[in-house]
Amino acid sequence: MLVALMVYALTGGADYGGGMWDLLAAGDRASRQREAIAEAIAPVWEANHVWLVLVIVLLFTAFPPGFSVIMIALHIPITAMLLGIVLRGSAFVFRKYDSTQDVVQRRWSTVFGVASFFTPFFQGLTLGALTTGDIRVAGDRVTTGFFAGWLTPFALTCGLFALALFAFLAATYLTVDTQKQPDLQNDFRRRAIWAQATLVPLAVIVFITSKYGAPLMYHGLTNWWAPIMLLWTGLSAMTATAAIWLRRFRLARIAAVIEVTLVLLGWGLAQFPHLVAPDVTIQNSAAPESTLRILLVALGVGAVVLLPSLVYLFQVFKGQEQR
Amino acid sequence: MSDLFFARSQMGMSLAFHIVFAVIGMAMPLLMVISEGRFLRTKEPIFLELSKRWAAGTAILFAVGAVSGTVLSFELGLLWPGFMRYAGGIIGMPFSLEGFAFFTEAIFLGIYLYAWNRVSPVLHWFAGIVVAASGILSAVFVVLANAWMNAPAGFDIVNGHPVNIRPIAAMLNPAALHETIHMVLAAYAATAFLVAGIHAFFLLRDPQSVFHRASCSVALIVACVSIPLQILSGDFAAREVAKLEPPKLAAMEAHYQTGSGVPLLIGGIPDTATGKVHYAIEIPFGLSLLVGDNPATKVVGLEDFPRDQWPNVGLVHWSFDIMVGAGFAMLAVAAWTICTWWRTRRLPDNKWLLRALVCCAPLGFIAVETGWFVTELGRQPWIIYGLMRTSAAVTPMPGLVVPFATFTSVYLLLAVIVIFLLRRQFMETHPRRIKRTALKESATTSATEKPNS
């Protein structure tokens, strides 16, 4: 059980990373005409994208029955998200590597931008749907069909929330990346503030709809730890906003990262111990212990190899801009 | 047309699409590394130029491979939740490891592609080596999972449920060795022949091009080394299949009646109703020799298995024959290339050899696809050989024709675009074209081309 819990923390961690990095790519939509964004994203997007793959494989290795339930019940939104991923990824490279500047290239940009909206929306929607408690499972079967959960107001707001969150994060990052071009930096500063301004009411709406749309989550959010979480999240959000306002972009970036991490952590804690509320939990869908143990070892070894490489990657590309 | 049919079609289509990009994404880094290594040793700029050009093409293909691979990891669950519920805990391991290998590959590919001027040349070359190595590793891990479906191991079954799971043993299942070797070599051979063929095509048009000569030579080294090894590994794989999955071997060879002294049938029209094969070329004792080195070896035929456990004999047999045919054609051309090189110590100037190389360009990929058909269609009706039928694994979701049609059209579109883009890239390396575009581009955007001397 303890092992299962640790694996959860690790998959969760990867999950947050996945969310945070995906946004990096989602952000370019904010101002897709600008080369600056493409340059900031190009070297790292493949690596960022892999987080998502990692989350999925860890999910199906560690919680096979849970994975199976999620994939049956949320077939439609997940397929939609996949289409978004395919179009976005390929449109991005096509635009990047097509050497001729013409109409075709502008079309890639459009595809890329639209798909960048599409994908995080469905990601938020999917995560929200897992929380609603509308997806019911009896034995091995999903009993509530293929439309349960993800069409509720709560899930839809979660989708919008994810969009705003990623937009905010990306804009904040880009203010740091565009340090050498003050006019661009100003644009992104304004965008970040706007995104943050939509984010706050959306967060409130998510909270309110959760009372009816996701009772378990609402319950979780009114737990003893919730005020502390909310306080910290609020604090980091305010710091981020203030830092952007005062043009302390480096600080804003850090605060934004903390804000997003806390939001996801809060979601994870409120959801715990459910994988698909309320029938599938971490415990009842975990893979056999032998698998989890080896998986944990693999995760450890993987982390030892990957983290330094990742740091190196970001150093090579982001380091020089900061100096 | 049932939902099962569309689920299988969608999975098959996604795999067939992904495998092309995966194979190129795995083998191209090796070619780039060889070429860059030559540059580091000889300091001839042509090899550096070559690495850069290949890298640009690989970036596009790798990205498509990455997204189509992501789709596949989801589709495992979207289409086959029954399979994942049963097997996720057993074979999730190689998939997770693949995730890590792929991660490493993506990180260092990022460095390789974008850091030509940011890190030292040797470090850059090293990043390329890491990309090539982790590419092999990802392929190995994915194929390990597939090998498990063919030869499930590493668990015990109690009351129909897998218990006592040993993930490492599951990974090192009996089919693991021959499948991984065969796949890795296939990737090298197919990609190398494709690249050699494309550059041979340009050499035919412009025999003086130093660039295409160098490209062709690097690709040919890999091609000529990998194809003979691949034929050997294929022989090894066939023997293993005969042991592990007799119905698959029987279907590959269109072999119905169990017996000894069995001939090898090439081509023909298998008639499943009567158990006869019409119009095939027969090599007496061929199959017995292949399986057991002895003309008297007994080979189990399809008749020993219940009728509802037969794969589609016609498809599997023809896929197999096409794969083998393509393999031997490439072997012959490789032998010709080596002979020429031996005699003249120079790279192919012979027009006919260049033409043959052009003809060989698609063969490797035809062999990869048909080989994959053999292993997948040959396992049907099982998704896990002997344990779970594909029909028991499929999702209860209705209307699967919709995602099938959507993904098929998206992939078709992507394929067209990729070919279009690569064509543009290749055209830019063509000298006549370079002059023209250079004129055009000098006025507008930065021209990255350097005319080939």
Side-chain angles (χ1 to χ4, degrees):
Chain A
M1 205 62 70
L2 199 73
V3 177
L5 218 126
M6 282 165 71
V7 173
Y8 175 72
L10 284 167
T11 50
D15 208 329
Y16 311 148
M20 289 190 299
W21 291 128
D22 220 54
L23 79 146
L24 232 189
D28 20 311
R29 113 184 89 72
S31 144
R32 51 182 171 272
Q33 301 88 344
R34 296 178 204 246
E35 284 295 306
I37 301 169
E39 260 166 47
I41 293 166
V44 285
W45 82 270
E46 300 258 22
N48 297 339
H49 170 84
V50 186
W51 284 110
L52 184 66
V53 180
L54 213 56
V55 170
I56 280 302
V57 292
L58 289 181
L59 183 67
F60 74 56
T61 311
F63 310 106
F67 178 68
S68 147
V69 167
I70 294 171
M71 290 295 166
I72 293 174
L74 298 174
H75 189 115
I76 300 168
I78 291 179
T79 306
M81 182 191 85
L82 275 183
L83 273 176
I85 291 176
V86 171
L87 291 176
R88 220 182 58 97
S90 22
F92 182 72
V93 265
F94 292 166
R95 185 181 64 168
K96 174 89 188 149
Y97 282 97
D98 201 359
S99 38
T100 347
Q101 313 272 334
D102 55 14
V103 195
V104 190
Q105 200 153 25
R106 241 169 294 142
R107 216 164 289 153
W108 299 147
S109 291
T110 317
V111 173
F112 179 56
V114 172
S116 293
F117 264 105
F118 208 66
T119 316
F121 175 70
F122 279 104
Q123 281 168 351
L125 187 102
T126 307
L127 285 187
L130 295 181
T131 323
T132 54
D134 288 354
I135 299 169
R136 300 306 300 261
V137 180
D140 284 0
R141 309 206 76 81
V142 179
T143 53
T144 45
F146 309 104
F147 296 96
W150 59 277
L151 284 174
T152 59
F154 174 72
L156 294 174
T157 357
C158 281
L160 292 177
F161 182 73
L163 261 183
L165 195 67
F166 288 172
F168 165 66
L169 201 49
T172 314
Y173 280 7
L174 284 164
T175 54
V176 180
D177 284 337
T178 51
Q179 239 160 15
K180 282 172 202 143
Q181 299 137 288
D183 51 330
L184 278 184
Q185 198 175 22
N186 262 333
D187 286 349
F188 289 124
R189 170 170 170 262
R190 227 174 302 125
R191 289 205 167 88
I193 292 171
W194 273 111
Q196 183 75 309
T198 27
L199 198 55
V200 175
L202 272 174
V204 176
I205 299 175
V206 167
F207 184 69
I208 295 170
T209 46
S210 77
K211 187 170 181 184
Y212 308 100
L216 273 167
M217 163 122 169
Y218 182 74
H219 187 72
L221 282 179
T222 44
N223 249 336
W224 61 266
W225 49 264
I228 309 173
M229 278 305 287
L230 287 177
L231 185 73
W232 279 105
T233 316
L235 216 63
S236 58
M238 266 173 339
T239 318
T241 321
I244 294 173
W245 194 261
L246 299 171
R247 300 179 172 276
R248 300 283 304 276
F249 295 116
R250 206 75 59 75
L251 178 68
R253 178 161 70 170
I254 296 164
V257 167
I258 296 175
E259 182 187 341
V260 175
T261 316
L262 284 177
V263 168
L264 284 166
L265 190 67
W267 176 79
L269 280 174
Q271 170 90 339
F272 186 82
H274 302 289
L275 211 54
V276 183
D279 291 329
V280 183
T281 62
I282 309 273
Q283 290 87 347
N284 72 19
S285 72
E289 228 188 287
S290 53
T291 307
L292 292 184
R293 215 175 304 126
I294 296 180
L295 186 64
L296 212 59
V297 175
L299 278 178
V301 175
V304 168
V305 178
L306 282 181
L307 290 181
S309 322
L310 206 59
V311 170
Y312 179 63
L313 174 74
F314 279 88
Q315 236 175 17
V316 167
F317 291 107
K318 301 286 171 192
Q320 282 158 347
E321 286 153 63
Q322 282 172 22
R323 227 170 284 142
Chain B
M1 300 278 177
S2 63
D3 279 325
L4 173 63
F5 173 79
F6 286 114
R8 283 184 59 194
S9 305
Q10 186 180 341
M11 197 69 191
M13 186 273 300
S14 306
L15 280 165
F17 183 79
H18 176 67
I19 202 171
V20 172
F21 297 94
V23 155
I24 296 177
M26 182 175 142
M28 277 315 286
L30 181 74
L31 294 182
M32 292 168 347
V33 163
I34 292 178
S35 166
E36 202 182 348
R38 271 194 172 187
F39 164 72
L40 290 176
R41 222 184 41 234
T42 62
K43 299 285 171 215
E44 278 184 52
I46 190 86
F47 288 111
L48 182 64
E49 174 70 17
L50 177 56
S51 286
K52 286 192 176 176
R53 288 239 155 253
W54 277 345
T58 306
I60 297 175
L61 297 166
F62 187 84
V64 179
V67 286
S68 61
T70 312
V71 171
L72 276 174
S73 69
F74 277 90
E75 278 178 344
L76 281 174
L78 286 174
L79 299 174
W80 314 108
F83 168 69
M84 290 316 290
R85 174 186 291 271
Y86 188 96
I90 310 172
I91 55 152
M93 231 12 238
F95 281 116
S96 302
L97 293 174
E98 196 271 332
F100 284 116
F102 179 54
F103 212 144
T104 320
E105 192 178 354
I107 291 175
F108 284 93
L109 190 75
I111 294 174
Y112 192 88
L113 290 179
Y114 297 98
W116 289 98
N117 304 318
R118 292 199 180 200
V119 296
S120 75
V122 176
L123 207 62
H124 186 266
W125 185 58
F126 179 73
I129 293 179
V130 176
V131 175
S134 49
I136 298 176
L137 272 182
S138 341
V140 166
F141 286 130
V142 166
V143 175
L144 283 181
N146 177 264
W148 182 86
M149 294 160 72
N150 289 326
F155 61 99
D156 305 316
I157 298 172
V158 176
N159 300 328
H161 289 285
V163 293
N164 200 6
I165 288 164
R166 303 174 294 278
I168 302 283
M171 260 168 67
L172 304 177
N173 59 70
L177 190 65
H178 71 259
E179 274 203 38
T180 48
I181 294 179
H182 201 56
M183 186 72 237
V184 171
L185 287 173
Y188 287 146
T191 309
F193 270 101
L194 179 68
V195 173
I198 289 169
H199 290 294
F201 175 77
F202 286 111
L203 267 183
L204 276 172
R205 280 175 154 197
D206 176 21
Q208 304 309 317
S209 167
V210 184
F211 176 78
H212 289 299
R213 183 176 299 278
S215 319
C216 204
S217 74
V218 174
L220 279 177
I221 293 169
V222 176
C224 293
V225 172
S226 58
I227 192 71
L229 293 174
Q230 176 66 338
I231 301 280
L232 289 177
S233 87
D235 177 56
F236 169 56
R239 282 161 205 251
E240 292 297 306
V241 171
K243 266 187 278 174
L244 296 169
E245 293 177 273
K248 184 185 281 184
L249 184 89
M252 276 153 63
E253 309 287 6
H255 173 49
Y256 290 97
Q257 284 84 19
T258 304
S260 48
V262 186
L264 182 70
L265 303 180
I266 298 173
I269 303 164
D271 184 348
T272 295
T274 59
K276 290 205 167 60
V277 184
H278 306 290
Y279 314 114
I281 304 166
E282 232 175 88
I283 301 176
F285 305 108
L287 189 54
S288 288
L289 278 171
L290 264 182
V291 171
D293 290 325
N294 183 339
T297 308
K298 183 178 154 192
V299 185
V300 180
L302 280 168
E303 63 173 11
D304 283 13
F305 301 94
R307 182 65 192 82
D308 70 335
Q309 292 181 15
W310 290 14
N312 184 324
V313 181
L315 275 178
V316 176
H317 177 60
W318 269 98
S319 299
F320 180 69
D321 280 356
I322 291 171
M323 172 185 80
V324 174
F328 275 100
M330 287 185 283
L331 184 68
V333 175
W336 186 1
T337 310
I338 293 171
C339 282
T340 317
W341 181 79
W342 196 263
R343 277 206 319 267
T344 63
R345 294 278 155 182
R346 229 182 104 72
L347 252 156
D349 287 312
N350 185 327
K351 275 228 152 77
W352 283 105
L353 178 54
L354 287 176
R355 276 178 199 143
L357 282 172
V358 173
C359 294
C360 274
L363 286 187
F365 281 88
I366 291 172
V368 165
E369 293 288 359
T370 48
W372 196 252
F373 293 165
V374 169
T375 191
E376 289 303 289
L377 295 173
R379 193 186 56 242
Q380 302 302 329
W382 305 102
I383 190 164
I384 308 171
Y385 178 65
L387 287 178
M388 182 186 259
R389 280 175 184 264
T390 314
S391 53
V394 73
T395 176
M397 181 84 198
L400 288 178
V401 60
V402 178
F404 168 68
T406 319
F407 276 101
T408 308
S409 34
V410 168
Y411 279 179
L412 273 178
L413 184 75
L414 286 186
V416 172
I417 294 170
V418 165
I419 292 169
F420 171 74
L421 286 183
L422 289 182
R423 212 178 136 254
R424 280 224 245 202
Q425 294 250 346
F426 282 122
M427 290 323 265
E428 278 167 17
T429 60
H430 200 250
R432 253 172 284 160
R433 180 68 178 237
I434 284 173
K435 271 173 219 147
R436 231 187 303 155
T437 44
L439 276 175
K440 242 192 296 175
E441 284 185 358
S442 59
T444 52
T445 46
S446 59
T448 46
E449 328 295 353
K450 281 178 225 116
N452 302 310
S453 49

